[in-house]
Amino acid sequence: RTLGTISQVAIATTTTRSKVSKVIVIVIGIGPPQQASMSNCSILRIGPIDSENGNASRLRDAIARHFQCGGENRPRRDENNFATTMTISNRYFDASILLLGLDESIDAAVEKAGAMPFSSIRHEEDGVILVFDASVRGDGLASFDSLGRVHATAIRNDRAGDLLRLCVGTYNSHNGGPSPSTSDGSKGGEAEYSRRVLWCLDRGYEYVEADVSGEGLERGHDERDKDGFARVVEAVGTCMWSSRVMKKRGGVIGGGLGGGGGDGGGN
């Protein structure tokens, strides 16, 4: 018989030592598959959001829409709060994600959005996406150089993420909008790009430049080596979130995967 409860195993332990070992193998090998648990949720923070019509908000909304595809991924939004819950589902695991702003309180966001049975959820600060305007130089509010202060604040508040860190320079090419300041082909542009990449590497971020126009958001998802928005959602969809529940594969619960590989949830 398949033994599925602790009491059944306890009864079996009254037999000989050799039989007990066989029972344990049976329980581990063919016991009931692991079920998704709603007691753990990963936090992914994004910002700073300069305005609801800016590039950062377009990126945030595009991530939520991407993981709304496929039936199981249905983010929910509150009109007064952009807290979004979504389930990332790929061939290896399912994970529950709460998308928040850099400064948003988890308690307030979840209660306003009515996202989950709040009292039973454990939240883990797993990821952060820093966003800036890639077409701007200097130390303005939306510039790359402003991110030093933003990162320091996130570290101080334990909101910098332990599993995923992306630094995304956004631009909007719609109707001939400005391109990234690093793409002009000049030595200055190349030096600036290198400076940004090195800053990110020193702090554990992956640097990405993403076109948030309608066309840019659709581009490159079928490419093997992705960049732009396609790379952003690939990284989010394949990160090994702490809330992940491994899927049963070939009679065994999957495990032991690295941070990459797999197909990102949503598409």
Side-chain angles (χ1 to χ4, degrees):
R1 286 189 306 163
T2 299
L3 304 180
T5 66
I6 294 176
S7 59
Q8 288 174 308
V9 175
I11 293 172
T13 60
T14 62
T15 62
T16 67
R17 182 181 300 273
S18 61
K19 289 183 179 179
V20 170
S21 63
K22 291 180 181 179
V23 168
I24 293 175
V25 171
I26 292 173
V27 172
I28 295 175
I30 59 176
Q34 183 178 356
Q35 300 297 317
S37 170
M38 291 304 292
S39 61
N40 193 13
C41 181
S42 296
I43 303 299
L44 173 60
R45 294 188 179 273
I46 185 169
I49 305 296
D50 51 346
S51 74
E52 286 304 307
N53 297 317
N55 287 347
S57 62
R58 285 181 61 84
L59 178 66
R60 174 200 68 200
D61 293 344
I63 292 171
R65 285 195 304 271
H66 178 87
F67 289 105
Q68 188 173 11
C69 302
E72 295 181 359
N73 301 317
R74 300 183 184 279
R76 290 171 291 197
R77 294 281 299 278
D78 180 88
E79 61 182 3
N80 297 315
N81 192 305
F82 73 77
T84 300
T85 59
M86 53 192 181
T87 298
I88 292 177
S89 182
N90 58 38
R91 71 181 68 176
Y92 301 114
F93 61 82
D94 296 322
S96 297
I97 310 296
L98 183 61
L99 184 63
L100 295 177
L102 293 177
D103 300 323
E104 278 193 283
S105 160
I106 296 174
D107 294 16
V110 174
E111 288 179 342
K112 283 184 179 181
M116 302 176 186
F118 177 71
S119 60
S120 63
I121 297 295
R122 184 176 79 253
H123 298 88
E124 301 287 348
E125 294 280 354
D126 280 351
V128 63
I129 302 176
L130 298 186
V131 188
F132 69 99
D133 189 336
S135 64
V136 173
R137 291 189 183 182
D139 196 26
L141 292 178
S143 70
F144 174 80
D145 287 334
S146 69
L147 297 183
R149 296 186 298 270
V150 175
H151 170 73
T153 300
I155 290 290
R156 186 168 57 250
N157 295 332
D158 293 324
R159 293 179 175 180
D162 294 325
L163 301 179
L164 177 70
R165 290 183 181 179
L166 298 178
C167 179
V168 183
T170 59
Y171 63 100
N172 192 330
S173 66
H174 181 64
N175 291 333
S179 298
S181 58
T182 57
S183 64
D184 58 8
S186 66
K187 290 185 178 180
E190 293 178 1
E192 176 64 13
Y193 182 86
S194 297
R195 183 179 75 92
R196 294 176 182 180
V197 170
L198 290 174
W199 183 94
C200 290
L201 289 175
D202 286 344
R203 293 158 181 81
Y205 289 87
E206 176 182 343
Y207 181 68
V208 182
E209 291 181 347
D211 180 0
V212 295
S213 67
E215 181 181 351
L217 295 175
E218 297 295 327
R219 186 186 305 126
H221 292 277
D222 295 328
E223 299 293 330
R224 180 177 179 84
D225 296 321
K226 298 176 177 59
D227 56 17
F229 177 70
R231 173 55 195 155
V232 172
V233 293
E234 179 185 52
V236 173
T238 58
C239 174
M240 295 296 287
W241 301 100
S242 63
S243 63
R244 70 188 182 278
V245 176
M246 305 307 296
K247 293 182 177 179
K248 188 175 181 182
R249 303 181 65 211
V252 180
I253 299 298
L257 295 175
D263 49 351
N267 282 344

